[in-house]
Amino acid sequence: MKNNVKNSSVASKKKKDTVTVSAGYLRDIEKKVEDLETIIEVSSIISSTLDYSRLISIVMEKAKHIMQAEACSILQYDKESNKLVSEFAITGQLVTSNVLLKDRVTFDIGQGIAGWVAEHLEPVVIKDVYLDERFYRKANQMNNFETKSLIAVPLVGRRGLLGVAMVMNSKDKGHFSDYDAGIFQTFCVQISAAIENSRFYTESVQMEKFRQGLEIASVLQKSFLPETPAFRKGNLRVSATNIPAEKIGGDIYDFLEPVSGSIGVLVGDVSGKGISAALYMAKIISDFRYKSKMIERPEVVFNRLNEGLSNSPMGMFLTASYFVVNVNTGQFTVSAAGHPPFLWVTNSGVKIMDIPSGPPLGILQYEYTSSEFTLKSGDSLLILTDGVFDAKNTSGERLGFECLVSFVKEHREKDTFVQAIIDFVQDFSNGAEMSDDITLVELKWQ
Amino acid sequence: MKIDTAEHSDYMVVSIAGEIDMYSSPALRDTMLSMVKKNVATVIVNLKDVKYIDSSGIATFVEALKKMLAYKGKLKMAQVPDRVMEIFNFSKLDKVFDIYGSLEDAAKS
């Protein structure tokens, strides 16, 4: 009994919802369904196309077909120049993209119909372009195609304006209708998403290539530094710590034996950062190794290096200290070229060794000098680059040379005081991005 | 970083404020090279409001200096703050640049 009641209720509701429509309305609905089906079909093709040129080519061909238009054009928005750039257009059966690529047409934002659409981010349907004062008449002469009517729709992605899509001259009617504009707008949503995907893909491919290039550069650069960061010769023990701020850095250290019984230790910092600093560093290391052979006097090596670097590009220079230590006596000679003072750590304290220094290498003609000292058992020399005391914390404050010296004074008795300094600098930075490379070299006389 | 330039009868003053580092030095380079291009005889750089300068910033001045020396131009630094002077002292840039206490002293010399 209950079932009968229910069925009767459904039947009555069905009767109530029945609507009579005209054959013309049905035809319109059917056409809309067909058009939307075509858009969905085409969308799946374009959303899987990541190559930008190919994507634009397919999009224009399909837009022309769906809209029954004589021509289609996609104008890209160039953020840098704030202009619309027309690189591709398809007219008739002819792909004129090659012609247009050679002679790109640009529009200012606000100029012409496309410029108006880009400025107002609103679509327009124009039945007769000659009656519309926004129409830029020269556009017709530029692409050898006579536009009579058009639909122009802004292409907008998550990062803002991407461009403007236009279809020109309806093939089967005198002009486009509002219905056509609605369909084209729906299609343009799909075009925007596809263009954005393609751009993200291109950017990620470029980023990956750049990352791989940096990885290789980083490995190559490490190969310029000594194979092992620590060694012992006679009573001298040398150890180095180098932490580049980026994949590749501009700090240098090098150990060599210019003459038997002597060890040469170079610590330097190339101006700037990144690829240019790394390339310049590679040149300096190779010059240094060549020019320091058989020479015991550090000032002579600096004079020769300075001469070779005098034509450095873009004002690039090197601050450096070069030590030549006699591994039998502890006597050492040092020259400085605009490099921060080194620290002499003894049993009784820490001395800041601000020795007479010339300007950085590669700036001026200069006669460098040297200073001589002798190490005693237990003494250490600490040579560093400015990245150590210029370390910045998240509040933007810098550590400072004096603060670093105070830390060294307090912790000089620790066997692992170099590691303690690194930890101190990194704790100070407290996760802030490293702004400069850090290099610390310790010469310990045992 | 902010850059202001002021033209005087026989010299130009470039006033800089903020941090001169690898990110801001390209803009400074454009300013300095535009003066070099015009063969400006004397450029006084007012560093009064500079908080920090790194080696890329110094290289920008070195490049301008080298180019100016080629046409016998003069690059002068004025009102260098203590923090920046410390960097200049460590790098022995007092041997490279002419440094003055005030803009007037730089203009007079």
Side-chain angles (χ1 to χ4, degrees), chain A residues 66-80:
Chain A
I66 293 171
M67 301 309 300
Q68 286 298 299
E70 284 180 10
C72 175
S73 173
I74 304 276
L75 292 96
Q76 281 187 81
Y77 174 58
D78 179 35
K79 211 172 181 177
E80 215 166 282

Side-chain angles (χ1 to χ4, degrees), chain B residues 7-62:
Chain B
E7 200 169 345
H8 295 259
S9 55
D10 47 3
Y11 61 90
M12 282 196 80
V13 177
V14 180
S15 300
I16 306 160
E19 295 207 344
I20 312 174
D21 56 21
M22 66 177 299
Y23 303 104
S24 57
S25 54
L28 176 63
R29 185 170 185 261
D30 288 347
T31 305
M32 298 305 294
L33 293 189
S34 72
M35 293 188 187
V36 167
K37 212 174 168 185
K38 290 183 212 152
N39 283 11
V40 175
T42 303
V43 175
I44 300 172
V45 182
N46 180 5
L47 295 169
K48 189 172 146 266
D49 296 319
V50 170
K51 305 276 176 259
Y52 175 74
I53 182 166
D54 77 353
S55 58
S56 16
I58 296 169
T60 305
F61 290 127
V62 168

